[in-house]
Every structure is written in C-alpha cells, then in structure tokens.
C-alpha cells in the first residue's frame, strides 16, 4: 500500500464523472439544468419540459414536446397488478419503501445498459408519479383514479390523489416543486442509482437504489425532518431558546447546511418566492409553520452562517407541501418522484460510456489470524 494513500471520507470534494445534465454555480448561487437556469424553468416552463431537457440536454421542438407529453400521459396509466400491490402493502409499510418496491417489480426481467432507452426513462418518471398518487389515494380509502388526457402532469397527480380537479394554483405549486427537485448533480441518491446502473442493473432497479438512498434525513428525508422539527418547536416565540438548546446538545438543525452550497441555497430562495404567491391559501397551522420557519431561518443564520452553514430548500418546502395538502410522511416520496427525472438522465448518460463503479477500502484490521474451531473456543 503506498504510504500516500488516504481515504476521502464521504467522497468529499471528489469528482466521480463528467456530465452535461446539471451545473451548480456555487459562486453566484444558481442551478442550471443542461444550461437552463432553474429560475427560468420555474417561471416559464413546466415539469414535462424539464424532464425532456434533462433526458436530452436541449429544449424540445413543439412537435417533440407534444409527442413527449403524450408519452408521459400514456405512462401514467397503472395496471391492475400495480393497484393490487399498492392495496396489499399500503398499510404495511411507508410510502417510500412501497415506491421502491413498485419500481423494483417494474424492473423485473428487464435488462440495463442501453443509453438509448429514453422511453424507459419517460415511463419510469411517470410511473413514480402515478405510484405516488395512487398510494396516497388508496391509503385514504379511495379507489384508483386513472389519469386524464386533458390534464398536465402536475394536474394529473393531484387529480389521481383527490379524484377531482382541484385548485389550479395548487397544481402550479406542485409543478414548481417537481421542477426544483428534479436534479442536483451527484448527491448520495444519484450516486447510489449510478452505482447500481454501473453493474448494468436495469433502469427501474437503479432508480429504486436512488430512492433508498434519498430516504435518510441527511438527504431527501430532510424536509420531513424539518417539518417534524417545526412541530417540536411548536411556536415562533420558542425558536431562539429551542435553537440554543439544540445547538448546545450538538444536534443538527434540519433544513440547514449543504455539502456543496456554503451560501444560502438558491433553491430555497425560489421556494420563498413561490410561498409569497400562495399566502392566502395558508390555514392557521401552515401560518404557524411559516412563522416558525421565518424565525428559524433568521436565528439559525445568526448562529450557523459564520460556520458556512445556511438554510437549504428543505427548511422551506414543508410550507408548500402543507399548503397544497400533502401529508408530511409523503414529502420525501414526492422528492423521489421529481428526482427520478435526474436519476434516469444520469443513468442513461452513464451508460454511454459505462464503467463499473468499484472504489477501494484501506483494511485496518490484523491478518492473518489463526482460525480456532468452535469446539475449542
Ligand atoms: N446543524 C448544525 N450543525 C451542522 C449542520 C446543521 N444542519 N450541518 C453541518 N453542521 C456542522 C456539523 O455538526 C459539523 O460540525 P463539527 O465540525 O463541529 O463536527 C460540521 O458542520 C460539518 O458537518 P458535516 O455533516 O460533516 O458536513 P457535510 O458536508 O457532510 O454536511 C449535511 C452536509 C447536509 C449532511 C449537513 O449539513 C446536515 O446534516 N444538514 C442537516 C440535514 C439537511 O438539512 N439535509 C438536507 C440537505 S439539502 C437537500 C439535499 O440536497 O439532499
């Protein structure tokens, strides 16, 4: 072993691949999908077009856009076996686990490794969305609602959850959330999906690997954890005292900090702007959540910003999720629906020049050790 060999803990600062899918500008605080500023996409585009941009790294022509949205809508349809599986497991496990199971089953018998498999990428993102919606619908006692041809992706998701077309503003908020979460370079979940894909596992199973890595509170689970934290704090007057005590106990403040951003998360800035447009829809619980979040954002920066730890998007997104009525235990699963667009794009890009991902470890134990048979121990 060369004496200079050392372990890069958490792969911090390590470049693992070249990609044209997204770029995080940590100087200016901006995020680009294939060169397009996410702020522009939120204002002027929609999730369907965002998926196309991520999968193809360019804008669609009008004809391509129409074909693409029609393929997406087709893929939103679920089959009786999907519904039976959801009904069987919905009360037995959490939403994210069920979502990953459904994706694994979807991948059964399929092969991986073909970078031209865009149709599967489209299907996988749409299936994630309809699985998510059907899980919420069936869990609340309703029957599966098939998607409608005249609704867009976000409208269909809400329609499949509620069984009726609701407020168009809510669908716009959902669409914005889907765009904002769709891609973010190589966080743990994307890396996990690439590790699976690099073995030539199929696309759906590779996405399931991403889902499972997204689950934890240090990554995709942070919005659920940040919501639980706000509930624990209870009211805005308690924020400073709660924060001081949490920091003195060396607790991590959920919704703060990021491996890449050592500045205010630009996605949080977009989320805050969306919130200002929907304040009139907030009920008293969401208003309290909002006030707690405003105080936590301010006091948290007072204590943590000098250490380069700033609010991230998960501090703010629970306000949007709750305003449009999504259950707190479904936040991470919705993140997964959106991020499946990024995972699928990275997987297909990786397969263009696949290389098995296989890092090394430094063995720290002793060897060789003499084996002692059980009867002599
Ligand atoms: N609250 C308090 N201290 C923190 C926080 C925080 N949120 N984040 C980092 N630190 C401290 C940490 O305790 C450590 O201190 P010390 O050096 O004294 O031991 C130091 O900062 C470095 O922390 P780290 O966890 O080793 O650094 P990292 O680059 O691995 O951290 C992070 C990234 C996201 C895991 C971390 O900031 C964190 O746990 N944040 C809370 C969870 C969260 O909000 N996650 C969502 C991230 S954004 C959504 C996404 O893209 O996944």
């Amino acid at each position: 072993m060369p004496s200079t060999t050392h372990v890069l803990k958490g792969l911090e600062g390590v470049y693992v691949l070249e990609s044209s899918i997204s770029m995080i500008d940590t100087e200016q605080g901006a995020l680009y999908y294939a060169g397009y500023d996410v702020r522009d996409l939120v204002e002027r585009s929609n999730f369907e077009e965002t998926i196309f941009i991520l999968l193809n790294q360019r804008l669609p022509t009008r004809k391509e856009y129409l074909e693409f949205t029609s393929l997406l809508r087709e893929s939103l349809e679920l089959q009786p076996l999907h519904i039976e599986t959801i009904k069987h497991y919905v009360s037995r496990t959490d939403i994210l686990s069920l979502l990953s199971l459904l994706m694994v089953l979807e991948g059964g018998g399929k092969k991986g490794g073909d970078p031209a498999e865009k149709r599967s990428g489209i299907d996988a993102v749409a299936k994630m969305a309809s699985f998510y919606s059907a899980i919420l619908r069936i869990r609340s006692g309703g029957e599966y609602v098939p998607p409608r041809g005249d609704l867009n992706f976000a409208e269909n998701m809400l329609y499949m959850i509620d069984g009726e077309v609701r407020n168009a503003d809510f669908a716009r908020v959902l669409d914005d959330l889907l765009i904002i979460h769709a891609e973010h370079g190589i966080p743990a979940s994307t890396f996990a999906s690439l590790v699976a894909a690099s073995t030539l596992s199929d696309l759906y199973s590779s996405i399931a690997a991403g889902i499972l890595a997204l689950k934890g509170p240090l990554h995709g689970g942070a919005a659920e954890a940040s919501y639980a934290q706000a509930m624990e704090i209870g009211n805005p007057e308690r924020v400073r005292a709660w924060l001081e005590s949490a920091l003195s106990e060396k607790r991590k403040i959920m919704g703060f900090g990021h491996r890449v951003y050592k500045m205010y998360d630009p996605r949080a800035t977009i989320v805050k702007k969306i919130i200002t447009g929907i304040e009139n829809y907030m009920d008293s619980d969401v208003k309290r959540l909002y006030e707690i979040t405003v105080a936590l954002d301010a006091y948290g920066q007072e204590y943590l910003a000098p250490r380069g730890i700033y609010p991230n998007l998960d501090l703010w997104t629970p306000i949007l999720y709750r305003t449009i009525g999504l259950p707190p235990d479904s936040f991470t699963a919705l993140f997964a629906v959106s991020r499946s667009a990024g995972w699928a794009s990275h997987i297909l890009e990786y397969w263009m020049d696949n290389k098995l991902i296989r890092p090394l470890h430094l063995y720290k134990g002793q060897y060789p050790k003499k084996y002692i048979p059980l009867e002599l121990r």
Side-chain angles (χ1 to χ4, degrees):
M1 190 82 56
S3 60
T4 52
T5 303
H6 64 286
V7 171
L8 288 163
K9 209 174 158 196
L11 294 182
E12 188 163 2
V14 176
Y15 287 86
V16 291
L17 50 88
E18 293 182 343
S19 172
S20 313
I21 293 170
S22 68
M23 189 256 183
I24 304 171
D25 182 345
T26 52
E27 300 282 310
Q28 303 297 321
L31 173 62
Y32 298 89
Y33 294 167
Y36 298 99
D37 193 321
V38 171
R39 287 170 292 205
D40 276 347
L41 298 178
V42 166
E43 273 192 14
R44 302 164 66 186
S45 181
N46 56 32
F47 186 53
E48 290 96 316
E49 188 173 49
T50 300
I51 305 168
F52 185 99
I53 291 170
L54 291 171
L55 283 171
N56 299 283
Q57 294 100 57
R58 63 175 176 84
L59 292 175
T61 62
R62 277 190 221 186
K63 184 168 171 281
E64 284 173 330
Y65 176 77
L66 291 175
E67 281 166 9
F68 190 79
T69 49
S70 124
L71 280 178
L72 269 172
R73 261 167 234 177
E74 245 172 59
S75 290
L76 280 172
E77 290 277 352
L78 295 186
Q79 302 307 315
L81 187 59
H82 296 132
I83 316 295
E84 278 167 39
T85 309
I86 293 173
K87 284 186 173 166
H88 183 76
Y89 285 106
V90 77
S91 60
R92 293 177 162 88
T93 188
D94 60 274
I95 301 173
L96 216 55
S97 303
L98 180 47
L99 205 51
S100 55
L101 171 70
L102 287 158
M103 290 305 277
V104 170
L105 294 174
E106 210 59 16
K110 297 196 170 79
K111 283 195 164 49
D114 181 1
E117 239 191 274
K118 293 223 172 99
R119 184 69 190 86
S120 299
I122 299 168
D123 184 64
V125 179
K127 285 289 179 298
M128 288 282 288
S130 43
F131 289 155
Y132 172 86
S133 303
I135 290 170
L136 290 193
R137 172 97 189 140
I138 290 166
R139 191 174 73 159
S140 63
E143 280 301 317
Y144 166 65
V145 176
R148 265 179 29 186
D150 60 328
L151 300 178
N152 72 24
F153 199 87
E155 287 167 344
N156 255 324
M157 281 186 72
L158 292 182
Y159 172 65
M160 292 169 78
I161 295 169
D162 296 329
E164 59 184 11
V165 177
R166 285 201 301 169
N167 192 320
D169 288 337
F170 287 7
R172 268 192 290 277
V173 169
L174 178 60
D175 193 55
D176 291 347
L177 282 165
L178 290 168
I179 295 173
I180 292 165
H181 288 90
E183 160 62 14
H184 206 231
I186 314 290
S189 58
T190 309
F191 190 59
S193 71
L194 286 176
V195 170
S198 81
T199 70
L200 302 185
S201 179
D202 68 276
L203 185 99
Y204 297 84
S205 304
S206 303
I207 287 179
I211 298 175
L212 298 176
L214 190 76
K215 213 174 191 182
L218 299 187
H219 185 15
E224 287 182 21
S226 126
Y227 178 76
Q229 175 179 271
M231 295 301 101
E232 180 192 327
I233 297 171
N235 73 64
E237 286 74 40
R238 286 196 61 221
V239 169
R240 190 187 272 280
W242 179 90
L243 193 62
E244 283 176 356
S245 140
L247 289 172
S248 72
E249 290 163 15
K250 300 248 175 264
R251 273 176 71 174
K252 280 212 170 155
I253 312 306
M254 293 296 125
F256 274 81
H258 201 276
R259 177 63 67 78
V260 177
Y261 298 118
K262 300 304 169 198
M263 53 165 34
Y264 206 96
D265 184 338
R267 301 168 300 172
T269 308
I270 305 175
V271 169
K272 281 164 75 176
K273 193 169 167 205
I274 300 166
I275 290 171
T276 58
I278 56 152
E279 277 170 359
N280 53 327
Y281 290 118
M282 291 180 189
D283 63 18
S284 57
D285 286 344
V286 181
K287 279 194 182 122
R288 195 167 59 247
L289 172 64
Y290 175 75
E291 286 163 9
I292 293 169
T293 307
V294 169
L296 196 54
D297 183 286
Y299 293 136
Q301 285 192 73
E302 200 180 307
Y303 292 97
L304 293 169
R307 294 168 59 197
I309 301 165
Y310 290 85
N312 61 51
L313 91 164
D314 295 315
L315 183 69
W316 288 94
T317 49
I319 297 168
L320 292 180
Y321 293 135
R322 292 306 291 142
T323 302
I324 65 173
L326 296 176
D329 67 341
S330 77
F331 297 173
T332 317
L334 183 66
F335 184 164
V337 171
S338 163
R339 188 55 62 86
S340 63
W343 295 330
S345 306
H346 277 285
I347 292 165
L348 295 176
E349 184 188 59
Y350 197 78
W351 280 341
M352 288 169 74
D353 186 19
N354 192 68
K355 171 93 177 162
L356 177 73
I357 296 175
R358 206 306 183 189
L360 297 171
H361 76 294
L362 274 176
Y363 177 64
K364 300 294 280 181
Q366 293 174 344
Y367 74 98
K369 290 180 186 167
K370 189 173 158 47
Y371 179 79
I372 302 163
L374 199 53
E375 59 277 16
L376 297 180
R377 273 180 253 159

